[in-house]
Amino acid sequence: MAVFAASVDTGEDAQVVQNDVGFNIGQGVSKDIADALGAWWDPKRNIIQPSEFIVGPGNKIIHASYSSGPIARTLAHDAIGLLGYIAHRKK
């Protein structure tokens, strides 16, 4: 299993966050990338709103969550619970 993240931050700002979370973070998310994901872009702050995906075998998206603001992020324990549910269903 792997965790991936991306941010509008670049350089040192992205590196600080990456050091805090302990996994790689893609840098420099643009409006074009947000549009390709179907995510909301905040033009006032030039940021992508939370867009989260759980990707299964064959790169199939098995869960997606989009937010139009700063709330409704998927919590780690919720993602783990969802993965457990999916694994149990497949048995």
Side-chain angles (χ1 to χ4, degrees):
M1 182 183 341
V3 175
F4 302 92
S7 172
V8 295
D9 292 336
T10 58
E12 290 181 16
D13 291 339
Q15 189 63 51
V16 167
V17 174
Q18 181 171 310
N19 292 342
D20 286 346
V21 298
F23 52 82
N24 290 331
I25 296 183
Q27 300 181 26
V29 172
S30 64
K31 184 174 184 322
D32 290 339
I33 293 170
D35 289 346
L37 292 171
W40 279 273
W41 182 263
D42 181 342
K44 292 179 187 173
R45 298 185 296 160
N46 284 323
I47 61 167
I48 188 173
Q49 292 295 350
S51 306
E52 304 160 342
F53 308 93
I54 295 177
V55 182
N59 294 322
K60 179 180 177 186
I61 295 175
I62 56 176
H63 174 76
S65 175
Y66 295 92
S67 180
S68 60
I71 54 176
R73 288 177 171 93
T74 302
L75 301 175
H77 73 271
D78 292 331
I80 291 167
L82 176 61
L83 291 171
Y85 170 76
I86 291 168
H88 178 74
R89 258 188 28 203
K90 290 186 177 197
K91 289 183 181 181

